[in-house]
Amino acid sequence: MIKRARKRILLAILLCLSVISYAQNNIIDEIIWVVGDEAILKSDVEDMRRDMISQGAQMKGDPYCFIPEQLAVQKLFLDQAKADSITIQSSTITREADYREKYYLSVAGSKEKLEEYWRMPMSQIRERIREQIQNQYLTEEVKKKLTAKISLTPSEVRKYYAQLPKDSLPFIPTTVEVQVITNEPTVPVTEVDKVKERLRDFTNRINSGEQSFSTLAIMYSEDRVSAANGGEMGLSGRATWVPEFASMAFSLNDPKKVSNIVETEYGFHILQLVERRGDQVNVRHILLKPKVPAEAFEKSIARMDSLTKDIRAQKFTFEDATAISHDKDTRSNNGLMVNDGRESSNHGTPRFIMEELPVEVAKVVKPMKVGDVSAPFRMIQRNGKEVVAIIKLRSRVEGHVANVSDDFQTLKAIVEDKKQEEVLKKWLQAKIKDTYVRIDKNWQNCDFQYSGWIK
C-alpha cells in the first residue's frame, strides 16, 4: 500500500509539472490523466487516434475526450484482470500478433511504408501490436467474467422485438458460410536442410560464447514478436504451446544449454531455458521457416486446379475432397470454416459477414454464387504459413431487416449485448468511484460517457 501511495504521489507531481521530455527525439509529451497507478500520455491518445483512423473505427464526439476516457476505462479492466490473476496464453498472443503484422504489411505495401505511417521502427510496432492484443484479450476476459450470469428466455427476445418501432429494427448484413480445402506446397528437403544447418550454426556460436542466444534471436528469429524480447516467450504453462514445442520446453533443465532442433507447424526452433517456476516455464527460442520456392507453389496450384475441375465435373463432391485438405481445423467438418472472431455476434458459428473473413477469402467469395467452387488462390493461415486454397460458397443470406423467425439468434445477441452493457456500466461507475483519478485541467472540459471522473 505504501508503494502504491508513493507512486500515486509521484504521478500527481508529474501531472502538475505537465510535461515529460524525451531526450532521444526531443519530443515533449504530457501526462493528461492518472488512473490508479497508471498514467495516460498525450502520445497515447495520438497513437490510438491514428490506429482508429487506419482501422476505420468510429469515434463518438471529440476524439480528445472520447479516446482518453476509453483508455481510462481499459485501465480499469486491466487492473481488475490483474486482481483476478487473469492471464492469456502466450501462443494465442503470438499467433494473433503474427497474423496482424502480416496483414498490416500487406496493406502498407512494405516495411518502410508501415514504419513511416506508424512513425516507429518495426521492433516497436511489433511490441505495440503484442501489447494491444494482450490488453484486448484481458479486457474481454474480465467482461466475460462480469457478465457470465446473464441469461435470456425466448419470451424476453420476442418482447424486445415487439417493442421496437419498425423504423428502428436492426439491419442484418449479408452473411455467408464458406467451406475450404487447402494444400501446403511441398518444401524441398534441401530447404529444410538449410534451415537445420543454420540453426546448428547458431547453436555452435552460442555454445562457444561468440554470440548470445538473445542477440541471435533479435537478429534472425522469424517469430518477430518474441524476437523483440530476445526470443523470450514469457512464463507459460504446458497447454500454452503446441505439443512439440511444449515437450521440448519442459524437458530443459540447464539455462546454459541449447535444445535440439524441434519441428512444429510454425517451422523449426531451437530453445534455451530462462526460468522454471512451478508448472510454468519461460524459454527463449529462435524460429526459422524453410523458404517455399515459386515452383512449389506452381505445382500446388496445378494440383488444386485439377481438383477443382474434377469437383465441377461432379466426379466427386467438394465435401468428399475435404478429406485430403491440409487444414486440420476444418478437415473433419466438411471444410466448413468457423467464425472465431471474439467480438463477432457470429462467434462460434459458421456464419461470417464479409469483413470477418480473411482478406484473401473475402475477395474470392464476393462475386460467387451459392454452390460455386473457386479457382485456386494463395492465402496466409493464422500460423503464418502460406497455402493454396479453393473454397465453396455453402450459403449466402442477403442483408435484410431483422425478423424473429429468421434472426432469433441475432436478436438474442442484441438483447444480451444491452444487458451486458447495463451490467458493465454499473460496474464501471462503482470502479470509478473507488479509483484514484486525476485529470489535467486542460482535458476536463468534456462530456464524458461515465460520471465521476472529475473528483
Side-chain angles (χ1 to χ4, degrees):
M1 290 297 294
I2 294 174
K3 287 183 178 179
R4 294 185 72 146
R6 285 177 178 170
K7 189 173 181 181
R8 287 177 180 173
I9 291 169
L10 177 59
L11 287 169
I13 291 171
L14 288 172
L15 181 56
C16 293
L17 292 174
S18 181
V19 298
I20 302 172
S21 177
Y22 290 91
Q24 69 268 28
N25 53 16
N26 205 28
I27 293 175
I28 302 298
D29 205 352
E30 300 177 53
I31 292 181
I32 59 173
W33 282 53
V34 176
V35 182
D37 295 336
E38 301 293 330
I40 297 174
L41 304 177
K42 183 178 179 181
S43 61
D44 295 332
V45 176
E46 292 296 345
D47 288 343
M48 187 170 176
R49 187 176 72 89
R50 185 193 62 242
D51 293 349
M52 292 181 74
I53 290 172
S54 68
Q55 295 169 17
Q58 184 179 5
M59 284 180 270
K60 300 175 183 178
D62 185 344
Y64 296 105
C65 291
F66 171 75
I67 293 175
E69 185 177 24
Q70 292 301 302
L71 290 170
V73 166
Q74 185 184 66
K75 290 188 182 298
L76 295 179
F77 282 122
L78 294 177
D79 181 69
Q80 190 62 40
K82 189 185 299 182
D84 292 343
S85 300
I86 295 173
T87 58
I88 307 299
Q89 291 185 350
S90 177
S91 60
T92 300
I93 298 171
T94 298
R95 280 196 299 270
E96 181 65 28
D98 195 41
Y99 180 82
R100 199 174 294 186
E101 179 188 330
K102 286 181 172 63
Y103 172 72
Y104 287 151
L105 284 169
S106 68
V107 172
S110 68
K111 179 174 82 71
E112 290 73 23
K113 288 182 180 178
L114 187 62
E115 289 178 328
E116 181 182 352
Y117 181 77
W118 283 62
R119 300 176 189 170
M120 59 181 74
M122 277 303 300
S123 59
Q124 290 183 24
I125 293 175
R126 292 185 185 107
E127 288 179 18
R128 181 168 175 78
I129 290 172
R130 189 177 178 88
E131 181 184 8
Q132 287 175 343
I133 292 167
Q134 177 168 282
N135 290 346
Q136 177 187 340
Y137 275 83
L138 287 171
T139 299
E140 289 171 7
E141 289 301 317
V142 173
K143 289 181 178 179
K144 189 186 298 182
K145 187 173 180 179
L146 291 169
T147 59
K149 294 182 179 179
I150 292 176
S151 60
L152 287 174
T153 63
S155 61
E156 287 179 287
V157 179
R158 294 190 184 94
K159 183 179 179 181
Y160 167 79
Y161 178 78
Q163 291 176 343
L164 282 175
K166 287 187 177 181
D167 58 358
S168 298
L169 290 172
F171 183 82
I172 309 298
T174 298
T175 58
V176 295
E177 292 181 340
V178 179
Q179 293 165 276
V180 64
I181 298 173
T182 66
N183 181 270
E184 294 181 12
T186 302
V187 180
V189 175
T190 53
E191 292 297 324
V192 173
D193 289 343
K194 284 180 186 177
V195 165
K196 289 182 176 180
E197 183 58 36
R198 199 171 180 207
L199 287 173
R200 282 192 284 267
D201 177 57
F202 290 165
T203 299
N204 292 335
R205 287 154 71 178
I206 295 164
N207 289 337
S208 68
E210 180 184 341
Q211 283 183 298
S212 70
F213 196 110
S214 297
T215 299
L216 290 172
I218 291 169
M219 293 173 65
Y220 301 112
S221 179
E222 292 182 62
D223 175 4
R224 298 313 305 170
V225 178
S226 68
N229 297 316
E232 283 196 38
M233 303 291 282
L235 278 168
S236 303
R238 187 179 290 271
T240 300
W241 298 312
V242 293
E244 305 89 346
F245 190 97
S247 179
M248 182 62 76
F250 279 85
S251 72
L252 300 175
N253 49 40
D254 186 348
K256 294 180 181 179
K257 290 186 176 179
V258 179
S259 76
N260 293 328
I261 297 170
V262 58
E263 181 181 4
T264 72
E265 63 186 83
Y266 298 94
F268 293 85
H269 318 246
I270 53 173
L271 289 70
Q272 184 182 57
L273 177 66
V274 177
E275 175 188 9
R276 184 189 291 274
R277 193 183 302 171
D279 59 355
Q280 292 190 315
V281 66
N282 181 15
V283 297
R284 300 183 184 93
H285 84 128
I286 296 174
L287 167 67
L288 294 182
K289 303 175 184 179
K291 301 298 179 285
V292 182
E295 310 87 71
F297 274 107
E298 290 171 5
K299 289 179 180 178
S300 186
I301 289 171
R303 283 194 294 270
M304 294 298 273
D305 186 56
S306 176
L307 181 66
T308 300
K309 289 176 180 176
D310 286 343
I311 293 171
R312 289 174 177 170
Q314 299 183 352
K315 291 184 179 180
F316 42 79
T317 67
F318 189 97
E319 290 72 20
D320 292 334
T322 58
I324 63 171
S325 176
H326 290 178
D327 189 334
K328 63 181 182 180
D329 294 329
T330 63
R331 188 169 53 219
S332 61
N333 194 29
N334 287 332
L336 192 61
M337 297 175 63
V338 175
N339 192 331
D340 61 359
R342 295 167 67 92
E343 295 182 352
S344 170
S345 61
N346 295 313
H347 174 68
T349 76
R351 294 188 300 276
F352 294 80
I353 62 173
M354 298 302 288
E355 291 78 8
E356 293 169 343
L357 287 168
V359 176
E360 304 97 331
V361 175
K363 288 179 180 177
V364 176
V365 164
K366 191 173 181 180
M368 292 175 67
K369 297 178 181 178
V370 174
D372 282 355
V373 176
S374 76
F377 62 97
R378 289 165 68 161
M379 65 176 283
I380 297 174
Q381 296 179 310
R382 282 196 172 272
N383 63 6
K385 281 189 176 179
E386 189 171 12
V387 298
V388 176
I390 61 172
I391 59 173
K392 176 183 176 181
L393 181 57
R394 184 190 191 197
S395 73
R396 183 197 299 269
V397 179
E398 299 296 342
H400 61 280
V401 175
N403 63 82
V404 173
S405 59
D406 295 330
D407 307 301
F408 179 84
Q409 291 301 324
T410 300
L411 290 169
K412 181 183 177 184
I414 291 172
V415 182
E416 284 177 342
D417 285 345
K418 288 185 176 296
K419 282 202 169 188
Q420 288 171 2
E421 284 178 15
E422 292 170 5
V423 170
L424 294 175
K425 185 171 184 178
K426 184 177 180 181
W427 179 85
L428 280 167
Q429 289 294 177
K431 188 80 170 174
I432 291 168
K433 183 179 179 181
D434 295 337
T435 302
Y436 173 82
V437 179
R438 182 81 180 272
I439 305 175
D440 182 277
K441 63 181 180 179
N442 295 319
W443 293 76
Q444 292 183 6
N445 188 26
C446 290
D447 183 16
F448 294 121
Q449 180 181 357
Y450 300 98
S451 60
W453 291 118
I454 300 173
K455 302 178 179 181

